[in-house]
Every structure is written in structure tokens, then in C-alpha cells.
Amino acid sequence: MELLSSSDDDIRRAAAAISAGGLVAFPTETVYGLGGDAFSSKALAGIFEAKNRPFFDPLIIHIAGLDALDSLVKWDALSSAARKKFDILIKNFWPGPLTLILPKRSGLPDLANAGLPAAAIRFSSNLTAQKLIRFSGRAIAAPSANPFGCLSPTRAEHVVSQLGSKVDFIIEGGRTDIGLESTVFDITAEPCRILRPGGISRDEIEKSIGPVEIFSRTDIPNDTLNAAQSPGQFKNHYAPRTPLSLHTSVELAALPVSQNEGRLYFSKPPDAVPGTVRILSGTGDMKEAAANFFDILHELDSLGLTCIRAEQAPQYGLGAAINDRLRRASAR
Ligand code: TXA
Ligand code: MG
């Protein structure tokens, strides 16, 4: 593995590796991705192997412009109502942290999307990601650059320590802006629904296209899941190695701090708390909290604590995505 800067020359080297079927970890505005040529079965297999990810969990395909859609999307399989929603959503949110489920063209290898009739497509706003895609001349399949089930990477060094030996290049892009993964939204379902809460909130989507449903099950044990049921709905996911439990503010205030415990508060607790305490946002700012989320969990996870007790976020805006990650991280 070689760590690259985000200069054009370095991105060109990484792009050449992608074109040759190699693997490159790169920054996006949400979290770092582990990318390979979406049309190369060899690269796709390499992604699953590097992450130790089950083949029935489909990947997100990253593009750097709308011109790439025609090679990926089977437009005639999209209803005119869904097409209207698509047009509004991409106008409002692309490039940005919204992944759309669209009927896929047969040229895309089944490995990319677990044999499902639809593919997840995302246009990241990160300029380095866009250049990597453009310079490689490919659509890039990229899950988050972490071993399956583990914390998502918000810094290049998280990728170095978690997947360093398994990739050709890692592009240094600093800390990611949003810090939580993209919202995965299925416009092919009727009614359309959020499959994974993320960087674009339900409110924002509903302001654009009207009411949507949330399909976010956390009750499916990992070993019984398959693609046909609901990809990406794993009960335990996004987990630190340190056991994590989830609490309301009231519960946390009543629980005495145990020996070598870590606490993760959404906002500043009213009374001082002894021991290892981290706060997602001192002022309760949702964006700041989201950006700090995985970053702080990585740090807490490195401290050798016996457990992490985390406070629920308010359930609005990005708070829904934070709580979704905390619920999965706390499931055992
Ligand atoms: O922000 C992000 O989305 C990051 C960055 C790197 O772009 N990527 C990411 O990928 O989080 P990953 O693989 O960790 O999560 C992709 C999610 C999974 O929950 C997967 O099941 C779901 O998207 N997904 C992918 N393709 C799908 C499909 N065809 N139908 C339903 N869900 C799909
Ligand atoms: Mg992931």
C-alpha cells in the first residue's frame, strides 16, 4: 500500500490502478470508500475479499457526472412517477450524500449489486472522488473502507490501520466533512423509502418530493439475512470492538460511572461526569455531532475501555442517522 496526496498527479496514479483492476481507498464527503472498477468482476471480488463482506450485501456505484448514468440505469424500467422524483432529487441533492436505488442495466456485473434488479448509485460532492472517477474513466464501486461490520473511516489513517495491507493506494483527503454515510433511498419502491438514514435527512427529502417511508429494520440477525430480504439492514454493524450500550439522557444521569468506562454524550451533560467523557457537540449542533461521530468512536475504541455508554441523539435531521448507527453498534 502507498499513501498518496490529493494532487492531480497522485490521483492519476490511483486512477491508473483502478483502470487496471486494482483497489484504491479515497475520501468522499461522507466517509472514505474502498473503490474498484464497477465493471470489473476481479476488482469487485477484491473489494468483498478485502472487507470480508458477504457477497449478498450490494455495493454503491459512484459516478462523477450524469453522463455515466446511461451505462448503469435501465431507464425504461423506471416508472414516470419515479422518474419525476429522480429528477427533483438529483437537482436538489446531487452531487451530495444521497444514494439512489435505480433499475440496473444488465452490463453491470451481478457481483456489484448482489444479483438484485436494482443498483445503488451515488454522485459524491468530494472533488478528489470526482477526479478519481473521471481520470479512471470508470464508474467506481465503493463500500465504506472498513472491514465488514466495523466502524466507518473518517480519516485516511483509519483506513491505513484497518485495511492498509489490502489496497494498492490510499488517497489522503483529511477528515471527511459529513462523517456519516450517505442516505440510501429507494425510488423504485412504491411508496418510496429510505433504506439507510444518512447525510440527507428525511425532512430534506420530504420537502422535495412529499412523504416517504423509512425502512430501517434492526431486528434481523446477521446470519439469517440475504439480499432478497433487505440488504444493508444488518442488526449489528458499525460497531467498535469495545462493547457499546445505548441510553437515554435520563438513564445515563442515573447510572454511576463504572471503572474504566467511556461515555459518549450527544451534547454537554448538565452535571460534570468523571472519567473518559466525549461529547459529539458541546452546543448540540447536529452537523458537528455527525462529523465527530465515527471519529470519536474510533478514538474511544483505541483506549482499552471496558465499555462505552452512549447517549441517544435527538431523533430529527441527522440525529436519525446517528441513532441508527448507535443502535446497530450496540446490538450484540
Ligand atoms: O456514504 C456512503 O454511502 C459510503 C461512501 C464510501 O460513498 N459508502 C457506503 O457503502 O456506505 P456501504 O457499502 O458501506 O453501504 C452501502 C449500503 C448498504 O447498506 C447496502 O446494503 C445498500 O447500500 N445497498 C447497496 N446497493 C443496494 C441495492 N441495490 N438495493 C438496496 N440497498 C443497497
Ligand atoms: Mg459500510
Side-chain angles (χ1 to χ4, degrees):
M1 180 277 294
E2 191 180 335
L3 192 62
L4 298 176
S5 77
S6 40
S7 71
D8 281 8
D9 282 350
D10 274 6
I11 298 174
R12 280 208 171 79
R13 286 182 65 199
I18 296 273
S19 320
L23 300 185
V24 173
F26 62 97
T28 79
E29 76 280 40
T30 57
V31 300
Y32 278 73
L34 172 65
D37 179 354
F39 286 90
S40 158
S41 295
K42 176 190 156 227
L44 294 168
I47 292 173
F48 283 98
E49 194 184 293
K51 276 188 63 109
N52 201 11
R53 177 178 177 121
F55 285 110
F56 56 77
D57 192 11
L59 306 174
I60 294 178
I61 315 299
H62 294 65
I63 59 172
L66 302 182
D67 49 326
L69 286 171
D70 287 344
S71 67
L72 296 165
V73 180
K74 196 169 171 228
W75 292 113
D76 55 10
L78 197 64
S79 71
S80 60
R83 177 68 204 228
K84 268 197 198 118
K85 287 176 184 144
F86 172 81
D87 288 337
I88 298 170
L89 290 170
I90 65 166
K91 186 167 160 280
N92 291 349
F93 302 117
W94 273 13
L98 178 68
T99 295
L100 294 173
I101 304 294
L102 291 160
K104 75 149 198 166
R105 279 180 70 118
S106 55
L108 187 70
D110 274 345
L111 206 46
N113 62 313
L116 294 166
I121 300 179
R122 159 154 152 73
F123 182 176
S124 166
S125 62
N126 182 286
L127 290 182
T128 299
Q130 291 182 6
K131 284 180 187 172
L132 181 68
I133 296 164
R134 286 252 172 250
F135 293 168
S136 70
R138 311 293 154 108
I140 294 185
S144 50
N146 52 277
F148 180 69
C150 299
L151 293 175
S152 296
T154 48
R155 295 175 188 269
E157 58 251 42
H158 297 155
V159 187
V160 174
S161 65
Q162 295 195 106
L163 288 180
S165 61
K166 309 211 163 136
V167 299
D168 297 306
F169 295 110
I170 298 174
I171 304 178
E172 173 61 77
R175 195 175 98 146
T176 59
D177 295 332
I178 293 177
L180 289 175
E181 295 88 344
S182 63
T183 300
V184 179
F185 187 61
D186 188 355
I187 54 170
T188 67
E190 190 52 59
C192 46
R193 55 192 189 174
I194 292 173
L195 298 180
R196 176 179 72 183
I200 299 289
S201 70
R202 178 187 196 167
D203 284 1
E204 290 173 280
I205 293 177
E206 292 191 328
K207 274 189 195 125
S208 295
I209 58 167
V212 302
E213 297 205 333
I214 299 223
F215 183 80
S216 187
R217 297 184 59 183
T218 51
D219 55 347
I220 308 169
N222 284 18
D223 54 357
T224 62
L225 202 72
N226 62 54
Q229 274 177 313
S230 57
Q233 300 296 318
F234 296 98
K235 184 177 167 203
N236 32 322
H237 215 69
Y238 309 111
R241 284 154 306 175
T242 316
L244 182 144
S245 57
L246 182 56
H247 305 271
T248 63
S249 318
V250 176
E251 275 167 18
L252 269 193
L255 270 170
V257 177
S258 61
Q259 179 85 29
N260 209 21
E261 160 189 335
R263 290 226 169 165
L264 177 62
Y265 286 92
F266 172 74
S267 58
K268 205 166 175 295
D271 303 308
V273 179
T276 306
V277 174
R278 296 290 180 277
I279 297 166
L280 290 179
S281 167
T283 57
D285 177 80
M286 210 45 106
K287 280 208 166 116
E288 186 188 12
N292 282 330
F293 180 71
F294 279 122
D295 218 38
I296 289 181
L297 274 178
H298 275 284
E299 193 226 338
L300 284 175
D301 204 22
S302 71
L303 300 178
L305 302 165
T306 47
C307 68
I308 300 168
R309 287 186 169 143
E311 179 188 35
Q312 265 169 18
Q315 185 70 19
Y316 65 83
L318 291 173
I322 294 175
N323 286 335
D324 171 78
R325 306 300 185 272
L326 282 173
R327 270 196 298 276
R328 292 179 207 277
S330 65
R332 289 283 149 171

